Amino acid sequence: MLIYLLAFVLAISLSVYGVPLARQAAIKYNIVDAPDGRLKKQKEPVPYLGGLAIYLSFLLTSAFTYEFRDEILGITLAGTLILLLGLIDDFGVLSPIVKLIGQFIAIFVLIRSGIMIELNFIPYWLRILLTFIWLLGIINAFNIIDVMDGLSAGIGFFASTILFIVALITRDEVIATLSIALAGSLLGFLWYNFEPAKIYMGDAGSMFIGLMLGAMTMTGSYTKINYFAALSPILILGVPIFDTLFVSYVRCRRGISIFRGSNDHFALRMRKIPLTVRQVVLISYLATTLLGISAIVMMKAGGIVAVIILSVVSAVMLFMSALLIKIDMVR
């Protein structure tokens, strides 16, 4: 346990130290997110490059606390590719298709490193297909949900913490080390990103978090007691998945592209209730924690309990969708 505590403290320290440096660099070179009066309603431009600080603190912590085996190198290389892709996209020069191709390449690197969905009761070709679908979905889910100060990074922190607990239960040292390093990196960043945010992570950070969490959740041992627990990763990352599905449904219903920005996100709708930014973010943290605990219970319980948990979660999600969709976002 001492090595995990060391990794957590080191990651926080590197992040707390590195984020202000990234902020200064972003301001110096005018890498900022300027308000547009439509979706970006902050009072003044906010610097990007927070994602770079998260990445570096995670990378350095992993290097200092764990041996660079093939799977670590694969995750690191794929994470580097997705970070560079996000940095370029933060300058607004990538089309959705080019960005999607870049994500495919990063996922291909992971699969070539032997990192893919570990469900041996399904065919190998289907595992590869599901790996692509899962990672593409989670990468873009964390990108989509990054619409409010502290939201995406905080959800990433709590999801990483849940993954760390799962890794301790399953005795997976690799995932335990990586997840606690990511948790520490995100917690250090949150010191500057919680409302009012002094820096944003940008697409580089949100896509990097999505790739890391997507990769770590799909390699865990969930099905030792029941096969329904294979759905545990969906619960652990349930909040960004819910927002992605909800936004996609609303945009399709309105006849607009799912790649186009809009104010249809659940977090922005909750602001109309009205709730403050901090209240919305804290509720999202609580939801992530409860879903994570449900996933752990589902792993340890029998099939009947797992079915009950999945049924209750599905019912709550549908109920929330029905309530949120009635909120008028025009006024």
Side-chain angles (χ1 to χ4, degrees):
M1 287 298 293
L2 183 60
I3 189 66
Y4 301 136
L5 178 61
L6 173 64
F8 186 64
V9 173
L10 180 60
I12 291 177
S13 302
L14 289 170
S15 186
V16 169
Y17 175 77
V19 171
L21 296 179
R23 185 176 186 274
Q24 291 174 17
I27 293 173
K28 180 177 180 179
Y29 295 103
N30 197 35
I31 308 174
V32 298
D33 188 33
D36 60 8
R38 188 174 68 92
L39 296 177
K40 302 175 181 181
K41 298 181 180 180
Q42 64 268 27
K43 296 180 180 180
E44 57 186 28
V46 178
Y48 279 135
L49 295 187
L52 182 60
I54 294 171
Y55 163 79
L56 289 175
S57 61
F58 171 81
L59 179 65
L60 292 173
T61 299
S62 302
F64 283 125
T65 57
Y66 206 80
E67 180 183 351
F68 267 3
R69 299 176 182 175
D70 288 344
E71 61 266 34
I72 301 291
L73 289 172
I75 288 179
T76 302
L77 178 56
T80 303
L81 290 174
I82 211 74
L83 177 94
L84 293 174
L85 181 72
L87 286 174
I88 297 172
D89 191 48
D90 283 333
F91 288 97
V93 297
L94 289 184
S95 67
I97 295 299
V98 173
K99 187 161 71 170
L100 188 63
I101 292 173
Q103 293 172 358
F104 262 98
I105 294 172
I107 296 170
F108 178 75
V109 168
L110 275 178
I111 294 176
R112 287 283 293 171
S113 302
I115 301 169
M116 58 188 298
I117 289 177
E118 297 178 355
L119 296 176
N120 295 325
F121 56 86
I122 61 176
Y124 180 75
W125 66 268
L126 184 56
R127 287 163 55 196
I128 292 178
L129 178 61
L130 290 176
T131 297
F132 270 102
I133 294 173
W134 171 253
L135 288 176
L136 283 173
I138 300 304
I139 289 170
N140 289 288
F142 272 90
N143 194 12
I144 287 172
I145 204 173
D146 190 23
V147 296
M148 190 172 288
D149 294 355
L151 183 61
S152 185
I155 289 173
F157 165 73
F158 283 97
S160 299
T161 304
I162 293 294
L163 273 177
F164 173 68
I165 296 172
V166 170
L168 291 181
I169 294 172
T170 59
R171 298 182 180 180
D172 190 330
E173 293 181 2
V174 174
I175 300 303
T177 304
L178 293 178
S179 59
I180 201 65
L182 183 60
S185 301
L186 290 172
L187 187 59
F189 172 74
L190 270 174
W191 181 261
Y192 305 96
N193 183 244
F194 203 71
E195 192 210 16
K198 300 178 180 66
I199 187 171
Y200 291 158
M201 68 172 69
D203 286 355
S206 60
M207 291 199 301
F208 173 74
I209 296 170
L211 178 71
M212 291 298 103
L213 289 174
M216 287 190 284
T217 50
M218 73 181 183
T219 59
S221 301
Y222 302 99
T223 57
K224 291 183 177 180
I225 296 178
N226 70 83
Y227 285 140
F228 291 106
L231 300 177
S232 294
I234 297 177
L235 294 185
I236 295 172
L237 303 178
V239 174
I241 290 174
F242 170 77
D243 190 48
T244 301
L245 294 175
F246 180 78
V247 168
S248 298
Y249 170 75
V250 173
R251 288 177 183 173
C252 289
R253 184 176 174 179
R254 293 172 56 193
I256 64 176
S257 171
I258 60 174
F259 297 108
R260 177 184 171 187
S262 70
N263 60 354
D264 295 314
H265 303 268
F266 83 88
L268 299 180
R269 286 174 178 265
M270 289 175 70
R271 290 279 286 118
K272 290 280 188 175
I273 291 179
L275 294 174
T276 66
V277 169
R278 294 194 176 193
Q279 287 172 336
V280 173
V281 169
L282 292 175
I283 289 172
S284 301
Y285 294 173
L286 177 61
T288 300
T289 302
L290 292 176
L291 287 170
I293 293 172
S294 299
I296 294 173
V297 172
M298 191 164 68
M299 286 174 53
K300 304 295 289 183
I304 296 177
V305 174
V307 170
I308 293 174
I309 290 174
L310 290 171
S311 300
V312 170
V313 170
S314 299
V316 171
M317 294 294 187
L318 290 173
F319 178 72
M320 290 298 299
S321 298
L323 291 180
L324 290 169
I325 206 167
K326 293 179 181 180
I327 298 175
D328 185 6
M329 297 301 291
V330 177
R331 293 183 298 170

